Amino acid sequence: MKIVIIGGTGLIGSKVVGKLRDQGNEAVPAAPNTGVNTLTGEGLAEVLKGAEVVVDVSNSPSFEDVAVLDFFRTSTTNLLAAEAVAGVRHHVALSVVGTDRLSESGYMRAKIAQEKLIEESSIPYSIVHATQFFEFLKGIADGATDGDTVRLAPVLIQPMAAEDVATEVTKVAVGAPLNAIVEVGGPEQFRLNEIVGRYLAARDDRRSVIADPNARYYGAKLEERTLVPESNATIGETKFEDWLSRQLVSA
């Protein structure tokens, strides 16, 4: 089965490509560095020829409110139109747990717009909502840093390894379209400020993490369970300490 992975050279995409190929599929990575640009439409028609499934794990190069909205709207519109012409039978997209609860965030508004376009398209679809990745903990800390202090809301978070995200996306991609959203999360819950503090300490990062209930998360105010999935979510295997120990060994 030919499956095209938009964003197939990135963190999640490259793992999905590998897993699909291991299963015997023709997995084709598509990204600007492979000659495929969903913003301009360059290379889309060619790469989608004969594709049965498209997996979109691409991300905006800018998180600025206007730029990220333009990216997801334009990219998704172009992609769905090209898929319709090519006869693609299943569109799979990776999104974020809690998207609908985080509309104060410009990034999340852009993801909401992306999901709406997919749901209103004629192409059968599946949307995978994943919790935050362990790999983005540093980015969360950096975005909440003021001087030597990191201010984060002490709310629940259930993060997961990128490897486990890719496993779930791969499983959905080779299955029948769900025409629905499925959720996936990590095997453990933490307080956001605590897990970021543990990550920074393990990396010998001297920044101080402060619990601040009013701290914003990518522009949005958080409630206790904004960042955790529903009870019927698929749960990944990788625990935080196991993931962290592997990062420290490879560093």
Side-chain angles (χ1 to χ4, degrees), residues 6-250:
I6 306 297
T9 60
L11 173 64
I12 302 297
S14 59
K15 295 179 187 298
V16 172
V17 168
K19 291 175 185 293
L20 286 170
R21 286 178 176 171
D22 287 345
Q23 296 177 5
N25 298 289
E26 180 188 356
V28 181
N33 59 6
T34 70
V36 179
N37 190 320
T38 52
L39 281 178
T40 64
E42 177 190 0
L44 268 181
E46 292 79 8
V47 79
L48 293 181
K49 285 179 181 175
E52 296 180 49
V53 180
V54 170
V55 177
D56 185 5
V57 293
S58 63
N59 209 350
S60 173
S62 170
F63 282 16
E64 188 275 326
D65 286 4
V66 174
V68 71
L69 181 59
D70 180 66
F71 174 86
F72 281 115
R73 275 184 174 165
T74 303
S75 175
T76 303
T77 297
N78 289 341
L79 185 55
L80 291 169
E83 288 175 24
V85 172
V88 171
R89 300 204 297 260
H90 188 187
H91 180 98
V92 180
L94 178 61
S95 194
V96 186
V97 162
T99 297
D100 56 337
R101 302 189 291 269
L102 290 162
S103 59
E104 287 182 293
S105 163
Y107 182 84
M108 297 304 176
R109 287 196 298 273
K111 294 298 287 183
I112 291 169
Q114 177 193 28
E115 292 180 23
K116 188 170 186 289
L117 287 168
I118 294 167
E119 291 166 349
E120 293 177 350
S121 167
S122 62
I123 299 169
Y125 71 91
S126 303
I127 297 173
V128 179
H129 272 193
T131 56
Q132 189 58 269
F133 312 158
F134 295 143
E135 286 80 358
F136 288 168
L137 290 174
K138 182 180 183 299
I140 292 173
D142 291 347
T145 296
D146 181 10
D148 293 327
T149 301
V150 181
R151 295 187 177 278
L152 292 166
V155 298
L156 291 174
I157 188 170
Q158 196 169 329
M160 62 188 302
E163 189 73 29
D164 292 345
V165 177
T167 295
E168 180 64 14
V169 170
T170 300
K171 182 175 74 175
V172 170
V174 299
L178 302 170
N179 293 315
I181 293 170
V182 294
E183 291 191 327
V184 58
E188 306 164 289
Q189 290 187 354
F190 305 88
R191 294 290 169 182
L192 178 59
N193 58 304
E194 292 173 355
I195 192 172
V196 171
R198 286 166 63 179
Y199 173 81
L200 294 180
R203 306 289 298 194
D204 291 325
D205 189 315
R206 303 302 181 184
R207 283 178 287 180
S208 175
V209 180
I210 304 298
D212 180 355
N214 295 313
R216 297 272 169 159
Y217 181 81
Y218 296 109
K221 192 175 188 320
L222 297 175
E223 302 297 335
E224 174 73 353
R225 300 187 60 83
T226 302
L227 303 179
V228 299
E230 301 295 335
S231 59
N232 61 346
T234 299
I235 301 301
E237 297 180 355
T238 308
K239 292 187 175 182
F240 174 62
E241 290 296 338
D242 294 334
W243 173 86
L244 184 60
S245 64
R246 290 199 290 268
Q247 305 308 303
L248 297 175
V249 168
S250 62

